[in-house]
Amino acid sequence: MTRLRPPISIREVDLDRDFPGIIGLYRAHEWSHANDPQRLQTAVRCSSYAVVAVDENEIVGFARAMSDEAFAVYIADILVTPERQREGIGRALTQAIQERYPLETYHHQVLIAERGVEGFYRSLGMTPVSTFGLTAFIRTHR
Ligand SMILES: CC(C)(COP(=O)(O)OP(=O)(O)OC[C@H]1O[C@@H](n2cnc3c(N)ncnc32)[C@H](O)[C@@H]1OP(=O)(O)O)[C@@H](O)C(=O)NCCC(=O)NCCS
C-alpha cells in the first residue's frame, strides 16, 4: 500500500458524511454522474466497496468497485481532486480496492480506462486485455 503524506488517509465511505465531497469530485471533473445526485447516491450505496481519500476533513479522492464477492470485481470511477493529482492518492485508492479483492481469490479485476490514463493503470499492475489475445466488448450509447 502506498504511504501517503500524513494526514491523508484512505477509508471506506460513510455515505451520509462523505456524499457532498464525493459529488464534488464528479463535478470537478465534469462527469455527468453529478447531474443526477440521487442516482449517484444509489450508485455509491450499491457499490460493493467504496473508498475515499481524506486530508484532514476534506475529501480529495474517491474510488468504487462492484463485485460478486467471489470471483470478479469491476473497478470504477477513480477520481482525485485536480489540485492534488500526482501525489500518490489515485494509486492508494486503487490499491485499497486491489487489496480488498486479492487476485488469489478474485481472478479478474477489470476496468475501462479513460483516454490518457493507461500509464496510471499499467503502473498498478493492470494489463490491456489485448496482451492476452482477448478483446473487451462494450455496448454503449456513446
Ligand atoms: C487518473 C487519476 C485517478 C490518477 O490519480 P493520481 O493521484 O494523480 O495518480 P498517482 O499520483 O497515484 O499516480 C500513480 C502512478 O501513475 C502515474 N500516473 C498518474 N496519472 C497518470 C497519467 N495520466 N498517465 C500516465 N501515468 C500516470 C504516476 O506518475 C504514478 O507513477 P509512479 O508510481 O511511477 O510515480 C487522476 O489523474 C484523476 O482523477 N484523473 C481524472 C479522472 C479519471 O480520468 N479517472 C480515471 C478513470 S478511468
Side-chain angles (χ1 to χ4, degrees), residues 1 49 65 73 75 91-104 106 109 111 121 123-126:
M1 168 82 74
Y49 187 56
V73 57
I75 302 172
R91 170 184 290 278
L93 288 161
T94 311
Q95 285 179 338
I97 291 174
Q98 290 176 326
E99 287 169 17
R100 168 72 178 72
Y101 298 99
L103 277 183
E104 294 72 28
Y106 295 85
Q109 297 177 350
L111 58 81
Y121 290 115
S123 84
L124 282 153
M126 307 209 66

mmCIF file with all atom_site columns, all heavy atoms in Angstrom, residues 1 49 65 73 75 91-104 106 109 111 121 123-126:
data_model
loop_
_atom_site.group_PDB
_atom_site.id
_atom_site.type_symbol
_atom_site.label_atom_id
_atom_site.label_alt_id
_atom_site.label_comp_id
_atom_site.label_asym_id
_atom_site.label_entity_id
_atom_site.label_seq_id
_atom_site.pdbx_PDB_ins_code
_atom_site.Cartn_x
_atom_site.Cartn_y
_atom_site.Cartn_z
_atom_site.occupancy
_atom_site.B_iso_or_equiv
_atom_site.pdbx_formal_charge
_atom_site.auth_seq_id
_atom_site.auth_comp_id
_atom_site.auth_asym_id
_atom_site.auth_atom_id
_atom_site.pdbx_PDB_model_num
ATOM 1   N N   . MET A 1 1   ? 0.859   -1.205  0.000   1.00 0.00 ? 1   MET A N   1
ATOM 2   C CA  . MET A 1 1   ? 0.000   0.000   0.000   1.00 0.00 ? 1   MET A CA  1
ATOM 3   C C   . MET A 1 1   ? 0.890   1.248   0.000   1.00 0.00 ? 1   MET A C   1
ATOM 4   O O   . MET A 1 1   ? 1.859   1.313   0.741   1.00 0.00 ? 1   MET A O   1
ATOM 5   C CB  . MET A 1 1   ? -0.912  -0.057  1.232   1.00 0.00 ? 1   MET A CB  1
ATOM 6   C CG  . MET A 1 1   ? -1.664  1.217   1.568   1.00 0.00 ? 1   MET A CG  1
ATOM 7   S SD  . MET A 1 1   ? -3.180  1.508   0.637   1.00 0.00 ? 1   MET A SD  1
ATOM 8   C CE  . MET A 1 1   ? -4.303  0.326   1.366   1.00 0.00 ? 1   MET A CE  1
ATOM 9   N N   . TYR A 1 49  ? -17.840 -1.931  -2.679  1.00 0.00 ? 49  TYR A N   1
ATOM 10  C CA  . TYR A 1 49  ? -16.795 -1.351  -1.830  1.00 0.00 ? 49  TYR A CA  1
ATOM 11  C C   . TYR A 1 49  ? -16.485 0.032   -2.387  1.00 0.00 ? 49  TYR A C   1
ATOM 12  O O   . TYR A 1 49  ? -16.312 0.197   -3.599  1.00 0.00 ? 49  TYR A O   1
ATOM 13  C CB  . TYR A 1 49  ? -15.555 -2.240  -1.885  1.00 0.00 ? 49  TYR A CB  1
ATOM 14  C CG  . TYR A 1 49  ? -14.451 -1.877  -0.932  1.00 0.00 ? 49  TYR A CG  1
ATOM 15  C CD1 . TYR A 1 49  ? -14.682 -1.787  0.433   1.00 0.00 ? 49  TYR A CD1 1
ATOM 16  C CD2 . TYR A 1 49  ? -13.153 -1.653  -1.400  1.00 0.00 ? 49  TYR A CD2 1
ATOM 17  C CE1 . TYR A 1 49  ? -13.653 -1.472  1.315   1.00 0.00 ? 49  TYR A CE1 1
ATOM 18  C CE2 . TYR A 1 49  ? -12.124 -1.349  -0.521  1.00 0.00 ? 49  TYR A CE2 1
ATOM 19  C CZ  . TYR A 1 49  ? -12.380 -1.258  0.830   1.00 0.00 ? 49  TYR A CZ  1
ATOM 20  O OH  . TYR A 1 49  ? -11.369 -0.948  1.706   1.00 0.00 ? 49  TYR A OH  1
ATOM 21  N N   . ALA A 1 65  ? -15.990 -0.021  -6.369  1.00 0.00 ? 65  ALA A N   1
ATOM 22  C CA  . ALA A 1 65  ? -15.909 -1.293  -7.067  1.00 0.00 ? 65  ALA A CA  1
ATOM 23  C C   . ALA A 1 65  ? -17.219 -2.045  -6.925  1.00 0.00 ? 65  ALA A C   1
ATOM 24  O O   . ALA A 1 65  ? -17.923 -1.901  -5.921  1.00 0.00 ? 65  ALA A O   1
ATOM 25  C CB  . ALA A 1 65  ? -14.768 -2.124  -6.488  1.00 0.00 ? 65  ALA A CB  1
ATOM 26  N N   . VAL A 1 73  ? -14.267 -8.636  -9.952  1.00 0.00 ? 73  VAL A N   1
ATOM 27  C CA  . VAL A 1 73  ? -14.515 -7.281  -9.464  1.00 0.00 ? 73  VAL A CA  1
ATOM 28  C C   . VAL A 1 73  ? -14.301 -6.294  -10.602 1.00 0.00 ? 73  VAL A C   1
ATOM 29  O O   . VAL A 1 73  ? -13.376 -6.436  -11.400 1.00 0.00 ? 73  VAL A O   1
ATOM 30  C CB  . VAL A 1 73  ? -13.646 -6.942  -8.226  1.00 0.00 ? 73  VAL A CB  1
ATOM 31  C CG1 . VAL A 1 73  ? -12.166 -7.100  -8.512  1.00 0.00 ? 73  VAL A CG1 1
ATOM 32  C CG2 . VAL A 1 73  ? -13.950 -5.545  -7.701  1.00 0.00 ? 73  VAL A CG2 1
ATOM 33  N N   . ILE A 1 75  ? -13.750 -2.315  -11.281 1.00 0.00 ? 75  ILE A N   1
ATOM 34  C CA  . ILE A 1 75  ? -13.314 -1.085  -10.604 1.00 0.00 ? 75  ILE A CA  1
ATOM 35  C C   . ILE A 1 75  ? -13.818 0.113   -11.424 1.00 0.00 ? 75  ILE A C   1
ATOM 36  O O   . ILE A 1 75  ? -13.715 0.114   -12.654 1.00 0.00 ? 75  ILE A O   1
ATOM 37  C CB  . ILE A 1 75  ? -11.773 -1.048  -10.478 1.00 0.00 ? 75  ILE A CB  1
ATOM 38  C CG1 . ILE A 1 75  ? -11.274 -2.280  -9.707  1.00 0.00 ? 75  ILE A CG1 1
ATOM 39  C CG2 . ILE A 1 75  ? -11.315 0.234   -9.788  1.00 0.00 ? 75  ILE A CG2 1
ATOM 40  C CD1 . ILE A 1 75  ? -9.765  -2.453  -9.693  1.00 0.00 ? 75  ILE A CD1 1
ATOM 41  N N   . ARG A 1 91  ? -3.174  6.066   -6.723  1.00 0.00 ? 91  ARG A N   1
ATOM 42  C CA  . ARG A 1 91  ? -2.544  4.763   -6.501  1.00 0.00 ? 91  ARG A CA  1
ATOM 43  C C   . ARG A 1 91  ? -3.049  4.145   -5.189  1.00 0.00 ? 91  ARG A C   1
ATOM 44  O O   . ARG A 1 91  ? -3.420  2.968   -5.149  1.00 0.00 ? 91  ARG A O   1
ATOM 45  C CB  . ARG A 1 91  ? -1.025  4.918   -6.447  1.00 0.00 ? 91  ARG A CB  1
ATOM 46  C CG  . ARG A 1 91  ? -0.286  3.676   -5.990  1.00 0.00 ? 91  ARG A CG  1
ATOM 47  C CD  . ARG A 1 91  ? 1.205   3.933   -5.860  1.00 0.00 ? 91  ARG A CD  1
ATOM 48  N NE  . ARG A 1 91  ? 1.831   4.105   -7.154  1.00 0.00 ? 91  ARG A NE  1
ATOM 49  C CZ  . ARG A 1 91  ? 2.210   3.085   -7.942  1.00 0.00 ? 91  ARG A CZ  1
ATOM 50  N NH1 . ARG A 1 91  ? 2.035   1.856   -7.556  1.00 0.00 ? 91  ARG A NH1 1
ATOM 51  N NH2 . ARG A 1 91  ? 2.749   3.324   -9.114  1.00 0.00 ? 91  ARG A NH2 1
ATOM 52  N N   . ALA A 1 92  ? -3.090  4.929   -4.124  1.00 0.00 ? 92  ALA A N   1
ATOM 53  C CA  . ALA A 1 92  ? -3.507  4.402   -2.821  1.00 0.00 ? 92  ALA A CA  1
ATOM 54  C C   . ALA A 1 92  ? -4.976  3.958   -2.849  1.00 0.00 ? 92  ALA A C   1
ATOM 55  O O   . ALA A 1 92  ? -5.326  2.923   -2.269  1.00 0.00 ? 92  ALA A O   1
ATOM 56  C CB  . ALA A 1 92  ? -3.277  5.458   -1.739  1.00 0.00 ? 92  ALA A CB  1
ATOM 57  N N   . LEU A 1 93  ? -5.827  4.713   -3.540  1.00 0.00 ? 93  LEU A N   1
ATOM 58  C CA  . LEU A 1 93  ? -7.236  4.329   -3.648  1.00 0.00 ? 93  LEU A CA  1
ATOM 59  C C   . LEU A 1 93  ? -7.382  3.006   -4.403  1.00 0.00 ? 93  LEU A C   1
ATOM 60  O O   . LEU A 1 93  ? -8.112  2.106   -3.982  1.00 0.00 ? 93  LEU A O   1
ATOM 61  C CB  . LEU A 1 93  ? -8.015  5.427   -4.379  1.00 0.00 ? 93  LEU A CB  1
ATOM 62  C CG  . LEU A 1 93  ? -8.252  6.725   -3.613  1.00 0.00 ? 93  LEU A CG  1
ATOM 63  C CD1 . LEU A 1 93  ? -8.605  7.853   -4.575  1.00 0.00 ? 93  LEU A CD1 1
ATOM 64  C CD2 . LEU A 1 93  ? -9.365  6.547   -2.582  1.00 0.00 ? 93  LEU A CD2 1
ATOM 65  N N   . THR A 1 94  ? -6.671  2.909   -5.530  1.00 0.00 ? 94  THR A N   1
ATOM 66  C CA  . THR A 1 94  ? -6.775  1.693   -6.347  1.00 0.00 ? 94  THR A CA  1
ATOM 67  C C   . THR A 1 94  ? -6.207  0.498   -5.589  1.00 0.00 ? 94  THR A C   1
ATOM 68  O O   . THR A 1 94  ? -6.782  -0.601  -5.608  1.00 0.00 ? 94  THR A O   1
ATOM 69  C CB  . THR A 1 94  ? -6.037  1.894   -7.686  1.00 0.00 ? 94  THR A CB  1
ATOM 70  O OG1 . THR A 1 94  ? -6.446  3.134   -8.256  1.00 0.00 ? 94  THR A OG1 1
ATOM 71  C CG2 . THR A 1 94  ? -6.337  0.763   -8.651  1.00 0.00 ? 94  THR A CG2 1
ATOM 72  N N   . GLN A 1 95  ? -5.097  0.706   -4.905  1.00 0.00 ? 95  GLN A N   1
ATOM 73  C CA  . GLN A 1 95  ? -4.512  -0.400  -4.139  1.00 0.00 ? 95  GLN A CA  1
ATOM 74  C C   . GLN A 1 95  ? -5.444  -0.859  -3.022  1.00 0.00 ? 95  GLN A C   1
ATOM 75  O O   . GLN A 1 95  ? -5.490  -2.043  -2.699  1.00 0.00 ? 95  GLN A O   1
ATOM 76  C CB  . GLN A 1 95  ? -3.145  0.008   -3.582  1.00 0.00 ? 95  GLN A CB  1
ATOM 77  C CG  . GLN A 1 95  ? -2.081  0.027   -4.671  1.00 0.00 ? 95  GLN A CG  1
ATOM 78  C CD  . GLN A 1 95  ? -0.717  0.443   -4.146  1.00 0.00 ? 95  GLN A CD  1
ATOM 79  O OE1 . GLN A 1 95  ? -0.607  1.086   -3.101  1.00 0.00 ? 95  GLN A OE1 1
ATOM 80  N NE2 . GLN A 1 95  ? 0.312   0.078   -4.880  1.00 0.00 ? 95  GLN A NE2 1
ATOM 81  N N   . ALA A 1 96  ? -6.182  0.064   -2.427  1.00 0.00 ? 96  ALA A N   1
ATOM 82  C CA  . ALA A 1 96  ? -7.134  -0.334  -1.374  1.00 0.00 ? 96  ALA A CA  1
ATOM 83  C C   . ALA A 1 96  ? -8.163  -1.309  -1.948  1.00 0.00 ? 96  ALA A C   1
ATOM 84  O O   . ALA A 1 96  ? -8.525  -2.303  -1.301  1.00 0.00 ? 96  ALA A O   1
ATOM 85  C CB  . ALA A 1 96  ? -7.815  0.893   -0.785  1.00 0.00 ? 96  ALA A CB  1
ATOM 86  N N   . ILE A 1 97  ? -8.601  -1.038  -3.180  1.00 0.00 ? 97  ILE A N   1
ATOM 87  C CA  . ILE A 1 97  ? -9.561  -1.950  -3.827  1.00 0.00 ? 97  ILE A CA  1
ATOM 88  C C   . ILE A 1 97  ? -8.870  -3.257  -4.205  1.00 0.00 ? 97  ILE A C   1
ATOM 89  O O   . ILE A 1 97  ? -9.399  -4.350  -3.970  1.00 0.00 ? 97  ILE A O   1
ATOM 90  C CB  . ILE A 1 97  ? -10.205 -1.269  -5.050  1.00 0.00 ? 97  ILE A CB  1
ATOM 91  C CG1 . ILE A 1 97  ? -11.116 -0.132  -4.571  1.00 0.00 ? 97  ILE A CG1 1
ATOM 92  C CG2 . ILE A 1 97  ? -10.991 -2.281  -5.877  1.00 0.00 ? 97  ILE A CG2 1
ATOM 93  C CD1 . ILE A 1 97  ? -11.711 0.706   -5.666  1.00 0.00 ? 97  ILE A CD1 1
ATOM 94  N N   . GLN A 1 98  ? -7.672  -3.159  -4.767  1.00 0.00 ? 98  GLN A N   1
ATOM 95  C CA  . GLN A 1 98  ? -6.960  -4.381  -5.162  1.00 0.00 ? 98  GLN A CA  1
ATOM 96  C C   . GLN A 1 98  ? -6.703  -5.280  -3.955  1.00 0.00 ? 98  GLN A C   1
ATOM 97  O O   . GLN A 1 98  ? -6.758  -6.499  -4.068  1.00 0.00 ? 98  GLN A O   1
ATOM 98  C CB  . GLN A 1 98  ? -5.644  -4.011  -5.847  1.00 0.00 ? 98  GLN A CB  1
ATOM 99  C CG  . GLN A 1 98  ? -5.859  -3.369  -7.219  1.00 0.00 ? 98  GLN A CG  1
ATOM 100 C CD  . GLN A 1 98  ? -4.554  -2.916  -7.864  1.00 0.00 ? 98  GLN A CD  1
ATOM 101 O OE1 . GLN A 1 98  ? -3.629  -2.497  -7.179  1.00 0.00 ? 98  GLN A OE1 1
ATOM 102 N NE2 . GLN A 1 98  ? -4.501  -2.982  -9.177  1.00 0.00 ? 98  GLN A NE2 1
ATOM 103 N N   . GLU A 1 99  ? -6.436  -4.677  -2.823  1.00 0.00 ? 99  GLU A N   1
ATOM 104 C CA  . GLU A 1 99  ? -6.176  -5.481  -1.614  1.00 0.00 ? 99  GLU A CA  1
ATOM 105 C C   . GLU A 1 99  ? -7.465  -6.070  -1.044  1.00 0.00 ? 99  GLU A C   1
ATOM 106 O O   . GLU A 1 99  ? -7.466  -7.162  -0.472  1.00 0.00 ? 99  GLU A O   1
ATOM 107 C CB  . GLU A 1 99  ? -5.437  -4.633  -0.574  1.00 0.00 ? 99  GLU A CB  1
ATOM 108 C CG  . GLU A 1 99  ? -4.002  -4.411  -1.000  1.00 0.00 ? 99  GLU A CG  1
ATOM 109 C CD  . GLU A 1 99  ? -3.255  -3.364  -0.184  1.00 0.00 ? 99  GLU A CD  1
ATOM 110 O OE1 . GLU A 1 99  ? -3.735  -3.025  0.918   1.00 0.00 ? 99  GLU A OE1 1
ATOM 111 O OE2 . GLU A 1 99  ? -2.219  -2.892  -0.648  1.00 0.00 ? 99  GLU A OE2 1
ATOM 112 N N   . ARG A 1 100 ? -8.557  -5.352  -1.216  1.00 0.00 ? 100 ARG A N   1
ATOM 113 C CA  . ARG A 1 100 ? -9.855  -5.864  -0.746  1.00 0.00 ? 100 ARG A CA  1
ATOM 114 C C   . ARG A 1 100 ? -10.287 -7.072  -1.588  1.00 0.00 ? 100 ARG A C   1
ATOM 115 O O   . ARG A 1 100 ? -11.004 -7.954  -1.114  1.00 0.00 ? 100 ARG A O   1
ATOM 116 C CB  . ARG A 1 100 ? -10.881 -4.731  -0.838  1.00 0.00 ? 100 ARG A CB  1
ATOM 117 C CG  . ARG A 1 100 ? -12.331 -5.105  -0.679  1.00 0.00 ? 100 ARG A CG  1
ATOM 118 C CD  . ARG A 1 100 ? -12.695 -5.481  0.741   1.00 0.00 ? 100 ARG A CD  1
ATOM 119 N NE  . ARG A 1 100 ? -14.103 -5.781  0.859   1.00 0.00 ? 100 ARG A NE  1
ATOM 120 C CZ  . ARG A 1 100 ? -14.711 -6.872  0.381   1.00 0.00 ? 100 ARG A CZ  1
ATOM 121 N NH1 . ARG A 1 100 ? -14.015 -7.786  -0.262  1.00 0.00 ? 100 ARG A NH1 1
ATOM 122 N NH2 . ARG A 1 100 ? -16.015 -7.054  0.541   1.00 0.00 ? 100 ARG A NH2 1
ATOM 123 N N   . TYR A 1 101 ? -9.858  -7.102  -2.883  1.00 0.00 ? 101 TYR A N   1
ATOM 124 C CA  . TYR A 1 101 ? -10.219 -8.182  -3.809  1.00 0.00 ? 101 TYR A CA  1
ATOM 125 C C   . TYR A 1 101 ? -8.950  -8.825  -4.357  1.00 0.00 ? 101 TYR A C   1
ATOM 126 O O   . TYR A 1 101 ? -8.608  -8.624  -5.516  1.00 0.00 ? 101 TYR A O   1
ATOM 127 C CB  . TYR A 1 101 ? -11.089 -7.632  -4.949  1.00 0.00 ? 101 TYR A CB  1
ATOM 128 C CG  . TYR A 1 101 ? -12.401 -7.056  -4.457  1.00 0.00 ? 101 TYR A CG  1
ATOM 129 C CD1 . TYR A 1 101 ? -12.552 -5.682  -4.281  1.00 0.00 ? 101 TYR A CD1 1
ATOM 130 C CD2 . TYR A 1 101 ? -13.471 -7.889  -4.130  1.00 0.00 ? 101 TYR A CD2 1
ATOM 131 C CE1 . TYR A 1 101 ? -13.749 -5.156  -3.802  1.00 0.00 ? 101 TYR A CE1 1
ATOM 132 C CE2 . TYR A 1 101 ? -14.658 -7.361  -3.652  1.00 0.00 ? 101 TYR A CE2 1
ATOM 133 C CZ  . TYR A 1 101 ? -14.797 -6.006  -3.495  1.00 0.00 ? 101 TYR A CZ  1
ATOM 134 O OH  . TYR A 1 101 ? -15.976 -5.485  -3.015  1.00 0.00 ? 101 TYR A OH  1
ATOM 135 N N   . PRO A 1 102 ? -8.221  -9.582  -3.546  1.00 0.00 ? 102 PRO A N   1
ATOM 136 C CA  . PRO A 1 102 ? -6.913  -10.090 -3.987  1.00 0.00 ? 102 PRO A CA  1
ATOM 137 C C   . PRO A 1 102 ? -7.028  -11.085 -5.147  1.00 0.00 ? 102 PRO A C   1
ATOM 138 O O   . PRO A 1 102 ? -7.990  -11.842 -5.239  1.00 0.00 ? 102 PRO A O   1
ATOM 139 C CB  . PRO A 1 102 ? -6.362  -10.768 -2.727  1.00 0.00 ? 102 PRO A CB  1
ATOM 140 C CG  . PRO A 1 102 ? -7.542  -11.050 -1.876  1.00 0.00 ? 102 PRO A CG  1
ATOM 141 C CD  . PRO A 1 102 ? -8.555  -9.991  -2.183  1.00 0.00 ? 102 PRO A CD  1
ATOM 142 N N   . LEU A 1 103 ? -6.015  -11.052 -6.008  1.00 0.00 ? 103 LEU A N   1
ATOM 143 C CA  . LEU A 1 103 ? -6.028  -11.882 -7.207  1.00 0.00 ? 103 LEU A CA  1
ATOM 144 C C   . LEU A 1 103 ? -6.082  -13.375 -6.903  1.00 0.00 ? 103 LEU A C   1
ATOM 145 O O   . LEU A 1 103 ? -6.589  -14.152 -7.706  1.00 0.00 ? 103 LEU A O   1
ATOM 146 C CB  . LEU A 1 103 ? -4.772  -11.605 -8.039  1.00 0.00 ? 103 LEU A CB  1
ATOM 147 C CG  . LEU A 1 103 ? -4.812  -10.406 -8.970  1.00 0.00 ? 103 LEU A CG  1
ATOM 148 C CD1 . LEU A 1 103 ? -3.525  -10.324 -9.762  1.00 0.00 ? 103 LEU A CD1 1
ATOM 149 C CD2 . LEU A 1 103 ? -6.012  -10.487 -9.905  1.00 0.00 ? 103 LEU A CD2 1
ATOM 150 N N   . GLU A 1 104 ? -5.565  -13.791 -5.761  1.00 0.00 ? 104 GLU A N   1
ATOM 151 C CA  . GLU A 1 104 ? -5.570  -15.212 -5.409  1.00 0.00 ? 104 GLU A CA  1
ATOM 152 C C   . GLU A 1 104 ? -7.007  -15.737 -5.382  1.00 0.00 ? 104 GLU A C   1
ATOM 153 O O   . GLU A 1 104 ? -7.264  -16.903 -5.666  1.00 0.00 ? 104 GLU A O   1
ATOM 154 C CB  . GLU A 1 104 ? -4.938  -15.438 -4.026  1.00 0.00 ? 104 GLU A CB  1
ATOM 155 C CG  . GLU A 1 104 ? -3.451  -15.114 -3.935  1.00 0.00 ? 104 GLU A CG  1
ATOM 156 C CD  . GLU A 1 104 ? -3.156  -13.620 -3.979  1.00 0.00 ? 104 GLU A CD  1
ATOM 157 O OE1 . GLU A 1 104 ? -4.018  -12.813 -3.554  1.00 0.00 ? 104 GLU A OE1 1
ATOM 158 O OE2 . GLU A 1 104 ? -2.065  -13.255 -4.476  1.00 0.00 ? 104 GLU A OE2 1
ATOM 159 N N   . TYR A 1 106 ? -9.906  -13.502 -6.439  1.00 0.00 ? 106 TYR A N   1
ATOM 160 C CA  . TYR A 1 106 ? -10.666 -12.827 -7.499  1.00 0.00 ? 106 TYR A CA  1
ATOM 161 C C   . TYR A 1 106 ? -9.820  -12.866 -8.764  1.00 0.00 ? 106 TYR A C   1
ATOM 162 O O   . TYR A 1 106 ? -8.835  -12.142 -8.872  1.00 0.00 ? 106 TYR A O   1
ATOM 163 C CB  . TYR A 1 106 ? -10.994 -11.387 -7.091  1.00 0.00 ? 106 TYR A CB  1
ATOM 164 C CG  . TYR A 1 106 ? -11.922 -11.354 -5.913  1.00 0.00 ? 106 TYR A CG  1
ATOM 165 C CD1 . TYR A 1 106 ? -11.431 -11.439 -4.609  1.00 0.00 ? 106 TYR A CD1 1
ATOM 166 C CD2 . TYR A 1 106 ? -13.294 -11.307 -6.098  1.00 0.00 ? 106 TYR A CD2 1
ATOM 167 C CE1 . TYR A 1 106 ? -12.283 -11.456 -3.525  1.00 0.00 ? 106 TYR A CE1 1
ATOM 168 C CE2 . TYR A 1 106 ? -14.158 -11.317 -5.022  1.00 0.00 ? 106 TYR A CE2 1
ATOM 169 C CZ  . TYR A 1 106 ? -13.651 -11.394 -3.737  1.00 0.00 ? 106 TYR A CZ  1
ATOM 170 O OH  . TYR A 1 106 ? -14.500 -11.425 -2.671  1.00 0.00 ? 106 TYR A OH  1
ATOM 171 N N   . GLN A 1 109 ? -9.769  -8.649  -12.089 1.00 0.00 ? 109 GLN A N   1
ATOM 172 C CA  . GLN A 1 109 ? -10.012 -7.251  -11.705 1.00 0.00 ? 109 GLN A CA  1
ATOM 173 C C   . GLN A 1 109 ? -10.085 -6.499  -13.022 1.00 0.00 ? 109 GLN A C   1
ATOM 174 O O   . GLN A 1 109 ? -9.094  -6.450  -13.741 1.00 0.00 ? 109 GLN A O   1
ATOM 175 C CB  . GLN A 1 109 ? -8.852  -6.695  -10.881 1.00 0.00 ? 109 GLN A CB  1
ATOM 176 C CG  . GLN A 1 109 ? -8.619  -7.376  -9.541  1.00 0.00 ? 109 GLN A CG  1
ATOM 177 C CD  . GLN A 1 109 ? -7.394  -6.806  -8.819  1.00 0.00 ? 109 GLN A CD  1
ATOM 178 O OE1 . GLN A 1 109 ? -6.631  -6.040  -9.383  1.00 0.00 ? 109 GLN A OE1 1
ATOM 179 N NE2 . GLN A 1 109 ? -7.227  -7.204  -7.578  1.00 0.00 ? 109 GLN A NE2 1
ATOM 180 N N   . LEU A 1 111 ? -11.488 -3.061  -15.516 1.00 0.00 ? 111 LEU A N   1
ATOM 181 C CA  . LEU A 1 111 ? -11.943 -1.667  -15.545 1.00 0.00 ? 111 LEU A CA  1
ATOM 182 C C   . LEU A 1 111 ? -11.844 -1.151  -16.972 1.00 0.00 ? 111 LEU A C   1
ATOM 183 O O   . LEU A 1 111 ? -11.204 -1.774  -17.828 1.00 0.00 ? 111 LEU A O   1
ATOM 184 C CB  . LEU A 1 111 ? -11.113 -0.799  -14.601 1.00 0.00 ? 111 LEU A CB  1
ATOM 185 C CG  . LEU A 1 111 ? -9.604  -0.730  -14.814 1.00 0.00 ? 111 LEU A CG  1
ATOM 186 C CD1 . LEU A 1 111 ? -9.218  0.255   -15.913 1.00 0.00 ? 111 LEU A CD1 1
ATOM 187 C CD2 . LEU A 1 111 ? -8.920  -0.309  -13.520 1.00 0.00 ? 111 LEU A CD2 1
ATOM 188 N N   . TYR A 1 121 ? -2.807  3.017   -14.957 1.00 0.00 ? 121 TYR A N   1
ATOM 189 C CA  . TYR A 1 121 ? -3.230  1.644   -14.668 1.00 0.00 ? 121 TYR A CA  1
ATOM 190 C C   . TYR A 1 121 ? -2.096  0.644   -14.876 1.00 0.00 ? 121 TYR A C   1
ATOM 191 O O   . TYR A 1 121 ? -1.981  -0.327  -14.121 1.00 0.00 ? 121 TYR A O   1
ATOM 192 C CB  . TYR A 1 121 ? -4.459  1.283   -15.507 1.00 0.00 ? 121 TYR A CB  1
ATOM 193 C CG  . TYR A 1 121 ? -5.671  2.037   -15.021 1.00 0.00 ? 121 TYR A CG  1
ATOM 194 C CD1 . TYR A 1 121 ? -6.297  2.973   -15.823 1.00 0.00 ? 121 TYR A CD1 1
ATOM 195 C CD2 . TYR A 1 121 ? -6.144  1.849   -13.732 1.00 0.00 ? 121 TYR A CD2 1
ATOM 196 C CE1 . TYR A 1 121 ? -7.388  3.691   -15.358 1.00 0.00 ? 121 TYR A CE1 1
ATOM 197 C CE2 . TYR A 1 121 ? -7.226  2.563   -13.250 1.00 0.00 ? 121 TYR A CE2 1
ATOM 198 C CZ  . TYR A 1 121 ? -7.845  3.483   -14.067 1.00 0.00 ? 121 TYR A CZ  1
ATOM 199 O OH  . TYR A 1 121 ? -8.901  4.198   -13.594 1.00 0.00 ? 121 TYR A OH  1
ATOM 200 N N   . SER A 1 123 ? 0.926   1.221   -14.197 1.00 0.00 ? 123 SER A N   1
ATOM 201 C CA  . SER A 1 123 ? 1.791   1.337   -13.016 1.00 0.00 ? 123 SER A CA  1
ATOM 202 C C   . SER A 1 123 ? 1.193   0.599   -11.817 1.00 0.00 ? 123 SER A C   1
ATOM 203 O O   . SER A 1 123 ? 1.870   0.369   -10.820 1.00 0.00 ? 123 SER A O   1
ATOM 204 C CB  . SER A 1 123 ? 2.033   2.817   -12.671 1.00 0.00 ? 123 SER A CB  1
ATOM 205 O OG  . SER A 1 123 ? 0.972   3.330   -11.898 1.00 0.00 ? 123 SER A OG  1
ATOM 206 N N   . LEU A 1 124 ? -0.090  0.218   -11.934 1.00 0.00 ? 124 LEU A N   1
ATOM 207 C CA  . LEU A 1 124 ? -0.752  -0.522  -10.847 1.00 0.00 ? 124 LEU A CA  1
ATOM 208 C C   . LEU A 1 124 ? -0.869  -2.005  -11.173 1.00 0.00 ? 124 LEU A C   1
ATOM 209 O O   . LEU A 1 124 ? -1.662  -2.724  -10.576 1.00 0.00 ? 124 LEU A O   1
ATOM 210 C CB  . LEU A 1 124 ? -2.127  0.076   -10.586 1.00 0.00 ? 124 LEU A CB  1
ATOM 211 C CG  . LEU A 1 124 ? -2.029  1.370   -9.775  1.00 0.00 ? 124 LEU A CG  1
ATOM 212 C CD1 . LEU A 1 124 ? -3.186  2.291   -10.052 1.00 0.00 ? 124 LEU A CD1 1
ATOM 213 C CD2 . LEU A 1 124 ? -1.959  1.028   -8.291  1.00 0.00 ? 124 LEU A CD2 1
ATOM 214 N N   . GLY A 1 125 ? -0.084  -2.458  -12.156 1.00 0.00 ? 125 GLY A N   1
ATOM 215 C CA  . GLY A 1 125 ? -0.044  -3.888  -12.468 1.00 0.00 ? 125 GLY A CA  1
ATOM 216 C C   . GLY A 1 125 ? -1.177  -4.362  -13.340 1.00 0.00 ? 125 GLY A C   1
ATOM 217 O O   . GLY A 1 125 ? -1.399  -5.563  -13.472 1.00 0.00 ? 125 GLY A O   1
ATOM 218 N N   . MET A 1 126 ? -1.913  -3.434  -13.963 1.00 0.00 ? 126 MET A N   1
ATOM 219 C CA  . MET A 1 126 ? -3.013  -3.833  -14.827 1.00 0.00 ? 126 MET A CA  1
ATOM 220 C C   . MET A 1 126 ? -2.520  -3.899  -16.273 1.00 0.00 ? 126 MET A C   1
ATOM 221 O O   . MET A 1 126 ? -1.613  -3.165  -16.663 1.00 0.00 ? 126 MET A O   1
ATOM 222 C CB  . MET A 1 126 ? -4.188  -2.872  -14.665 1.00 0.00 ? 126 MET A CB  1
ATOM 223 C CG  . MET A 1 126 ? -4.570  -2.751  -13.192 1.00 0.00 ? 126 MET A CG  1
ATOM 224 S SD  . MET A 1 126 ? -6.266  -2.384  -12.822 1.00 0.00 ? 126 MET A SD  1
ATOM 225 C CE  . MET A 1 126 ? -7.168  -3.801  -13.361 1.00 0.00 ? 126 MET A CE  1
#
